Amino acid sequence: MVATASKQNYDVVIVGGAVNGSSTAYFLANNPDFNGSILVIERDPTYAQSATALSSSSIRVQFSNPINIQISKYGADFIRDFGNTMQVDGEKPDLTFHENGYLFLADQKGFDVLQRLHETQLQNGAQVDLWDVDQLIQRFPWVNPESLKGASYGRADEGWFDNYGMVNGFRRKARSLGVEYIENEVVDILREGNKITGVRLTNGDVIRCGTLVNCAGTRGTKVARMAGLDIPVEPRRRSLFVFDCRTPLEGKVPLTIDPTGVFFRPEGQFYLGGTYPKVDPEVDPEDFDVLHQEFDEEVWPILAERVPAFEAIKVVNSWAGHYDYCVLDHNAIVGPHNEVTNFMFCNGFSGHGLQQAPAIGRGLSELITYGEYRELDLNPLSYQRVIENRPFLEDSVI
Ligand SMILES: Cc1cc2nc3c(=O)[nH]c(=O)nc-3n(C[C@H](O)[C@H](O)[C@H](O)COP(=O)(O)OP(=O)(O)OC[C@H]3O[C@@H](n4cnc5c(N)ncnc54)[C@H](O)[C@@H]3O)c2cc1C
């Protein structure tokens, strides 16, 4: 089903209305200095196949880049206060933030990296503890410490939350502030020289715009190419597995990451887990096949070794989604194209786009309104580094 917009001209058109599109729409509409009109065009308002809906919905401050730490600290504060900020007609959405922390387990090599990151994290206000094996076992006795040297644990601002709740909260609030959403697909972008003038929709409608924001997630590269632009972003499959454990782990269990990249966290009465795949090709964004052998061959053996209680587990659910993976440096590309300056990128989140949505939406709204960032300088994420082929590497990738 496609819908027609109420007007033919908007100050800002946002392509993709999942978490980043809706966050950007909300922050713009909520900014008293922005007086323009906003249209969000979303091809599938159920979001069923968006990364937002298929995410493991977690947030951490244990990054290597100061900007990523600050983005997530802002995200954690925003999540905690989401109900108050997003309330409409007295209804306060609750994102049920499970602030259980992230636990990075490390062998000798990994521990050297954790020690290096620890200083940066502390300097940027992250509440993180670095433990030797004895401290680790004392706190989480269900971990088998074999081959481990230590661990890093986030005491605050880390955990998991309701992903659908976040996108729905942003969308509902944005609408209440006057943002228009339509179900339709952008199939072409109109450009005159270095200026984007509008978009063409699947039913042939043409909408004119002052600024276009590309929040098309795993289709972000396709949308950029409609304007003759390119970004190093590819859809990469991630399979997630929900499993039942006969003997549940006791106490507050964090999102735990083995040195191999295998991770798990509680999911209600079950656990959710997966891995960073060893072979990681670009995939068709329509391909949602779960790699079951990944669980059998890579995930379960490590889980069973690292947590003896996980020897007896049973998969009860699974799904696959796609990272919009930035092959340059695993970091988001945010802000204008250097020449086509009214084309804004909001792409390449590489597995941390849900937690980053509040800070990124706020940043883009500042950029569109004032022509500069005000609260948090997101310039390290700009498109300039793509032109210069200058990676802004993030060492802590999951
Ligand atoms: C398995 C998995 C686990 C993850 N775990 C985490 C995590 O723990 N923490 C975290 O922070 N992040 C995580 N991520 C990443 C995070 O989910 C994404 O980075 C984030 O949701 C991206 O949001 P988005 O709004 O930019 O894009 P998407 O959610 O991909 O949405 C893009 C939207 O654009 C629409 N669209 C596309 N093309 C068009 C078009 N031409 N016209 C109109 N509409 C269009 C789509 O329908 C879609 O709704 C995970 C991702 C996956 C797949």
Side-chain angles (χ1 to χ4, degrees):
M1 213 178 76
V2 293
T4 304
S6 68
K7 302 194 297 175
Q8 289 173 339
N9 204 327
Y10 292 80
D11 293 297
V12 177
V13 163
I14 299 174
V15 187
V19 75
N20 279 296
S22 289
S23 169
T24 304
Y26 156 72
F27 276 102
L28 264 177
N30 195 49
N31 186 339
D33 295 329
F34 177 82
N35 298 312
S37 52
I38 306 162
L39 175 69
V40 178
I41 305 168
E42 169 54 57
R43 63 195 286 278
D44 174 16
T46 71
Y47 301 117
Q49 297 187 333
S50 68
T52 295
L54 299 169
S55 175
S56 42
S57 313
S58 306
I59 179 165
R60 62 179 161 127
V61 288
Q62 294 184 66
F63 283 101
S64 66
N65 275 311
I67 190 69
N68 283 338
I69 299 170
Q70 287 158 20
I71 286 173
S72 285
K73 273 178 65 65
Y74 176 75
D77 286 342
F78 200 85
I79 289 166
R80 269 189 295 266
D81 203 34
F82 199 78
N84 290 327
T85 318
M86 291 296 135
Q87 70 170 300
V88 178
D89 297 335
E91 265 182 53
K92 296 183 176 190
D94 179 5
L95 297 189
T96 50
F97 189 13
H98 297 274
E99 212 170 341
N100 287 27
Y102 268 57
L103 178 68
F104 282 88
L105 304 175
D107 53 19
Q108 179 65 62
K109 195 169 143 225
F111 198 67
D112 294 343
V113 177
L114 288 187
Q115 276 178 310
R116 182 162 48 81
L117 302 190
H118 192 64
E119 282 312 306
T120 312
Q121 289 162 357
L122 292 183
Q123 280 162 12
N124 285 278
Q127 297 179 53
V128 186
D129 290 332
L130 199 58
W131 291 334
D132 61 22
V133 168
D134 289 343
Q135 290 167 305
L136 166 66
I137 294 309
Q138 209 176 356
R139 182 64 195 271
F140 298 114
W142 37 261
V143 173
N144 169 11
E146 201 183 314
S147 76
L148 296 182
K149 172 76 178 164
S152 176
Y153 172 67
R155 291 194 309 278
D157 299 333
E158 297 192 331
W160 48 97
F161 57 95
D162 177 359
N163 46 344
Y164 259 114
M166 182 178 260
V167 65
N168 285 335
F170 273 133
R171 183 175 58 174
R172 187 152 187 256
K173 187 72 181 183
R175 275 186 163 147
S176 77
L177 295 168
V179 174
E180 187 176 340
Y181 276 69
I182 56 164
E183 178 175 351
N184 213 316
E185 182 169 352
V186 171
V187 293
D188 199 10
I189 293 178
L190 313 179
R191 176 176 162 182
E192 288 170 18
N194 279 340
K195 197 166 167 45
I196 301 299
T197 56
V199 294
R200 181 171 290 112
L201 307 182
T202 191
N203 59 341
D205 286 359
V206 168
I207 310 282
R208 303 277 161 193
C209 65
T211 299
L212 182 133
V213 190
N214 179 1
C215 294
T218 51
R219 290 182 173 78
T221 302
K222 193 174 162 195
V223 167
R225 284 186 185 144
M226 292 175 194
L229 308 176
D230 209 11
I231 39 173
V233 174
E234 298 176 351
R236 299 276 182 99
R237 186 200 324 260
R238 292 293 179 268
S239 299
L240 291 176
F241 306 91
V242 178
F243 57 92
D244 192 10
C245 173
R246 205 178 295 157
T247 328
L249 309 181
E250 284 186 6
K252 193 169 153 182
V253 176
L255 192 154
T256 305
I257 303 150
D258 185 76
T260 55
V262 169
F263 66 89
F264 69 90
R265 67 160 172 84
E267 171 75 355
Q269 66 186 100
F270 302 120
Y271 298 88
L272 174 78
T275 191
Y276 188 88
K278 309 225 166 2
V279 183
D280 193 20
E282 178 176 10
V283 295
D284 180 344
E286 299 286 340
D287 175 359
F288 290 94
D289 287 349
V290 176
L291 296 186
H292 290 285
Q293 80 274 18
E294 196 172 277
F295 186 83
D296 298 338
E297 293 168 13
E298 294 178 41
V299 178
W300 181 73
I302 297 294
L303 288 177
E305 197 181 301
R306 188 56 69 204
V307 182
F310 286 165
E311 273 173 25
I313 57 175
K314 192 172 118 203
V315 173
V316 294
N317 193 11
S318 58
W319 66 87
H322 305 113
Y323 279 9
D324 55 335
Y325 191 88
C326 177
V327 295
L328 178 68
D329 55 15
H330 320 135
N331 265 313
I333 301 167
V334 180
H337 185 264
N338 59 316
E339 288 173 348
V340 187
T341 53
N342 68 336
F343 187 106
M344 296 278 171
F345 295 107
C346 182
N347 304 103
F349 287 94
S350 310
H352 33 270
L354 198 72
Q355 63 198 279
Q356 296 198 325
I360 298 295
R362 183 184 63 169
L364 278 173
S365 82
E366 292 168 355
L367 208 53
I368 292 168
T369 309
Y370 309 113
E372 63 179 17
Y373 293 118
R374 293 273 166 102
E375 297 286 332
L376 199 56
D377 181 6
L378 300 180
N379 276 309
L381 302 178
S382 79
Y383 183 74
Q384 190 61 28
R385 76 186 199 278
V386 176
I387 306 167
E388 294 170 6
N389 195 22
R390 180 176 41 82
F392 181 59
L393 284 171
E394 174 52 58
D395 293 338
S396 185
V397 181
I398 301 173

